[in-house]
Amino acid sequence: MSSELFTLTYGALVTQLCKDYENDEDVNKQLDKMGYNIGVRLIEDFLARSNVGRCHDFRETADVIAKVAFKMYLGITPSITNWSPAGDEFSLILENNPLVDFVELPDNHSSLIYSNLLCGVLRGALEMVQMAVDVKFVQDTLKGDGVTEIRMRFIKRIEDNLPAGEE
Amino acid sequence: MAIFSVYVVNKAGGLIYQLDNYAPRAEAEKTFSYPLDLLLKLHDERVLVAFGQRDGIRVGHAVLSINGVDVNGKYTAEGKEVLEYLGNPANYPVSIRFGRPRLTSNEKLMLASMFHSLFAIGSQLSPELGSSGIEMLETDTFKLHCFQTLTGIKFVVLADPRQGGIDSLLRKIYEIYSDFALKNPFYSLEMPIRCELFDQNLKLALEVAEKAGTFGPGS
């Protein structure tokens, strides 16, 4: 499938949401929800195809996300930087974001987080492997920054409903 | 058929998919005259042979149909009790089909939940941390293979003990699940899988695995 079709489809989705909700915050929330629903399904596809084992710490997780997952689904390899001293927060730096090819944000949508779907996907996928994380954009090329930066913070390990053998 | 069945169990231990793939089991149909020389008893809502064995009918076989009409548990298709019907000389001669009873879907649900609990116990019993849980259960007539994904879904395959390549079959079933069940937006997670494409592709994968692995005796 061509990446143009993907970019166009995503763009149509965001603009329709903007028309439906009129308020940038609501659109951001919807994108996050949609991303979450994608993430909980995508994780199984990822695990089935990539054969990676369970990650035992957040650094491993970061590596797998950047080097395997992003490569598999978006064809890009973001770099991992800005680790917090406690090792529970890091940044993913994307040089180019295939979702925003050819996109310009107009002035009346300055608080729209265009690629917020990605945050939802990451959050949903990690929740299914028992990790609660907080994901947000801190820099966005659409808003004039040089690179796109996603900040991921580990909240806690989800202890209920653990698959047997994981305690 | 060297692969007998496939079960998919969700995170909570509920059965969400089940496929039986064995050839028709040994069944025997005979015409009887009064009195019946087999001793029948009622067990678990079915009429079973308790004692008496002849012509392919063995102890434990259930009454499957009377005079060509399938029975409904312990009642005939007309709603009469099978034992009563067969106790009445006026109904003879009668043709009864006996065979190994199949599991009802409720029984399968119970077995899946029980396996889920055994699986949990298995990993707790492990002397080492982070045990994988039950991967294989072996008997003389079948081998049960189980694969638990990182998200807690279990894929269970019952196959002939000589059948090989089940590990890769389990991974293939995981891929088919992630494709045809999860990518179907109308399928809700953790619910029973009712997707045609999943069924079809699973059956195809089973055929491929049967051909590729070691052959058991024909059916």
Side-chain angles (χ1 to χ4, degrees):
Chain A
M1 194 187 86
S2 83
S3 61
E4 272 83 14
L5 182 58
F6 178 59
T7 311
L8 280 172
T9 308
Y10 188 70
L13 183 76
V14 177
T15 45
Q16 190 60 45
L17 282 175
C18 287
K19 288 204 197 95
D20 289 340
Y21 287 94
E22 292 172 2
N23 167 351
D24 284 348
E25 264 319 299
D26 286 341
V27 178
N28 291 340
K29 263 197 263 168
Q30 281 302 313
L31 282 173
D32 186 75
K33 249 201 266 184
M34 287 165 53
Y36 178 82
N37 289 327
I38 294 177
V40 300
R41 293 168 184 253
L42 197 69
I43 181 72
E44 307 267 13
D45 181 78
F46 175 67
L47 290 172
R49 278 171 222 289
S50 67
N51 240 334
V52 299
R54 186 167 288 278
C55 292
H56 294 105
D57 69 4
F58 206 41
R59 276 175 199 271
E60 246 188 283
T61 313
D63 268 341
V64 170
I65 293 176
K67 302 194 177 102
V68 192
F70 265 87
K71 189 93 188 18
M72 200 188 271
Y73 292 110
L74 289 176
I76 56 178
T77 311
S79 45
I80 305 171
T81 60
N82 280 354
W83 276 99
S84 67
D88 63 349
E89 269 193 64
F90 68 93
S91 291
L92 283 164
I93 312 280
L94 287 76
E95 306 282 307
N96 62 321
N97 179 357
L99 291 171
V100 306
D101 284 342
F102 319 120
V103 175
E104 282 175 24
L105 260 188
D107 295 325
N108 57 332
H109 286 297
S110 52
S111 56
L112 177 68
I113 309 173
Y114 189 83
S115 313
N116 210 25
L117 195 90
L118 285 180
C119 297
V121 172
L122 288 165
R123 186 170 63 87
L126 287 174
E127 191 176 303
M128 294 293 277
V129 282
Q130 291 86 41
M131 271 187 256
V133 290
D134 180 59
V135 189
K136 53 180 189 284
F137 275 86
V138 291
Q139 289 193 74
D140 197 346
T141 46
L142 287 183
K143 305 216 169 113
D145 300 314
V147 291
T148 307
E149 181 182 345
I150 303 177
R151 190 99 186 128
M152 290 190 59
R153 182 170 63 91
F154 179 77
I155 300 177
K156 64 175 185 173
R157 198 153 166 257
I158 302 175
E159 297 288 329
D160 42 60
N161 257 344
L162 278 173
E166 302 288 346
E167 298 97 41
Chain B
M1 296 287 162
I3 297 180
F4 303 135
S5 26
V6 178
Y7 292 73
V8 182
V9 181
N10 69 11
K11 271 195 274 225
L15 186 66
I16 59 175
Y17 183 78
Q18 202 280 321
L19 177 71
D20 279 329
N21 196 31
Y22 22 63
R25 295 140 109 173
E27 284 168 8
E29 180 148 22
K30 288 259 156 323
T31 315
F32 297 89
S33 51
Y34 193 77
L36 201 57
D37 57 351
L38 301 165
L39 182 60
L40 298 177
K41 72 167 189 226
L42 188 60
H43 178 73
D44 259 357
E45 292 302 305
R46 287 196 195 99
V47 178
L48 301 180
V49 175
F51 203 63
Q53 205 156 267
R54 54 175 264 193
D55 300 325
I57 301 170
R58 325 196 84 81
V59 173
H61 276 197
V63 173
L64 296 178
S65 77
I66 294 186
N67 288 335
V69 181
D70 282 341
V71 303
N72 188 1
K74 63 180 187 182
Y75 297 101
T76 65
E78 287 105 41
K80 298 218 278 277
E81 282 208 28
V82 171
L83 285 176
E84 242 185 82
Y85 185 85
L86 292 176
N88 185 352
N91 293 319
Y92 285 79
V94 71
S95 161
I96 313 178
R97 184 155 54 95
F98 289 92
R100 223 180 132 224
R102 270 174 214 261
L103 291 171
T104 64
S105 33
N106 268 346
E107 286 172 348
K108 289 179 190 165
L109 270 162
M110 266 182 359
L111 289 174
S113 318
M114 216 168 295
F115 181 72
H116 172 86
S117 315
L118 285 174
F119 186 95
I121 293 174
S123 25
Q124 289 190 5
L125 279 174
S126 162
E128 301 278 329
L129 262 188
S131 157
S132 71
I134 297 178
E135 283 184 342
M136 184 168 68
L137 203 91
E138 184 171 354
T139 72
D140 58 349
T141 45
F142 73 91
K143 259 194 197 161
L144 177 151
H145 300 254
C146 175
F147 168 55
Q148 179 173 255
T149 67
L150 292 185
T151 49
I153 308 247
K154 283 187 257 306
F155 296 95
V156 177
V157 166
L158 271 67
D160 189 291
R162 277 151 297 188
Q163 177 73 33
I166 301 287
D167 273 340
S168 52
L169 174 66
L170 284 168
R171 300 272 179 293
K172 187 84 181 67
I173 298 180
Y174 188 23
E175 269 182 42
I176 296 177
Y177 166 74
S178 79
D179 281 341
F180 298 102
L182 293 186
K183 295 203 177 99
N184 179 351
F186 299 107
Y187 166 67
S188 339
L189 256 55
E190 308 296 300
M191 290 287 119
I193 301 175
R194 303 238 182 282
C195 312
E196 274 269 352
L197 287 172
F198 179 74
D199 270 334
Q200 286 171 13
N201 282 275
L202 184 60
K203 291 193 180 119
L204 268 173
L206 291 181
E207 275 176 31
V208 169
E210 279 175 2
K211 292 205 184 75
T214 27
F215 286 116
S219 118

